[in-house]
């Protein structure tokens, strides 16, 4: 389903459609369900579907860059936090030792986590860093 500006904010216009990882909708997350122990952190975590819906709305209102960021975020939901932090560190100028190191991170994103947009982003960074000499060359 493609969402439009009429669907924004999703939590208010479609509270039953916005769901956590365990499938519980926002409408089902109440103070009573929390006190009863029926709500876990997994119910509160963002899902790729929610981020894609936000991307649809952003694209509909003429914000393609924001939409792309939401789509990349959707790809990262299932990537382990420690790997995200490793890649983040590599993307800081002067931290990666070589273009190949970034390309390897991109390949892992693509092959292991099916994060195609993130992989392309890292590959673009690798090209830019190579052109600008932003790698560390420690021996």
């Amino acid at each position: 389903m493609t969402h439009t500006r009429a669907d924004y904010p999703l939590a208010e216009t479609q509270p039953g459609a916005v769901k956590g990882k365990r499938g519980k909708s926002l409408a089902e997350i109440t103070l009573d369900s929390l006190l009863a122990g029926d709500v876990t952190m997994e119910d509160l975590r963002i899902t790729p579907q929610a981020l894609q819906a936000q991307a649809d709305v952003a694209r509909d209102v003429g914000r393609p860059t924001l939409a792309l960021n939401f789509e990349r975020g959707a790809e990262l939901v299932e990537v382990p936090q420690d790997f995200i932090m490793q890649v983040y560190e590599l993307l800081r100028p002067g931290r990666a030792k070589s273009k190949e190191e970034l390309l390897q991170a991109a390949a892992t994103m693509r092959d292991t986590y099916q994060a195609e947009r993130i992989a392309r982003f890292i590959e673009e960074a690798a090209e830019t860093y190579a052109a600008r000499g932003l790698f560390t060359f420690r021996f």
Side-chain angles (χ1 to χ4, degrees):
M1 174 182 179
T2 300
H3 296 83
T4 68
R5 70 180 70 215
D7 298 315
Y8 185 82
L10 294 167
E12 293 176 18
T13 64
Q14 300 178 19
V18 178
K19 298 180 185 232
K21 190 171 184 176
R22 294 189 322 148
K24 191 177 294 277
S25 72
L26 287 179
E28 296 174 279
I29 299 174
T30 64
L31 181 56
D32 288 338
S33 65
L34 178 68
L35 292 173
D38 295 332
V39 176
T40 71
M41 283 304 296
E42 292 302 304
D43 298 316
L44 303 175
R45 292 188 199 285
I46 193 107
T47 63
Q49 296 80 10
L51 288 164
Q52 184 57 57
Q54 293 287 51
D56 292 344
V57 171
R59 193 164 279 110
D60 187 57
V61 298
R63 309 270 317 265
T65 303
L66 180 60
L68 182 58
N69 285 335
F70 279 128
E71 290 167 344
R72 286 192 292 240
E75 289 184 344
L76 290 174
V77 169
E78 299 301 327
V79 177
Q81 188 71 29
D82 62 332
F83 186 66
I84 291 173
M85 294 309 295
Q86 288 173 347
V87 174
Y88 170 78
E89 186 65 23
L90 286 175
L91 288 170
R92 295 178 65 198
R95 301 300 170 103
K97 295 176 184 166
S98 66
K99 179 178 176 179
E100 290 71 29
E101 191 173 16
L102 285 175
L103 294 177
Q104 182 179 18
T108 300
M109 282 291 189
R110 180 178 286 113
D111 300 338
T112 303
Y113 302 109
Q114 293 71 52
E116 182 62 35
R117 289 177 185 90
I118 293 294
R120 286 195 310 263
F121 177 83
I122 297 168
E123 290 164 348
E124 183 180 328
E127 294 297 329
T128 300
Y129 289 16
R132 295 184 182 176
L134 297 177
F135 296 110
T136 58
F137 294 101
R138 296 182 183 154
F139 301 101

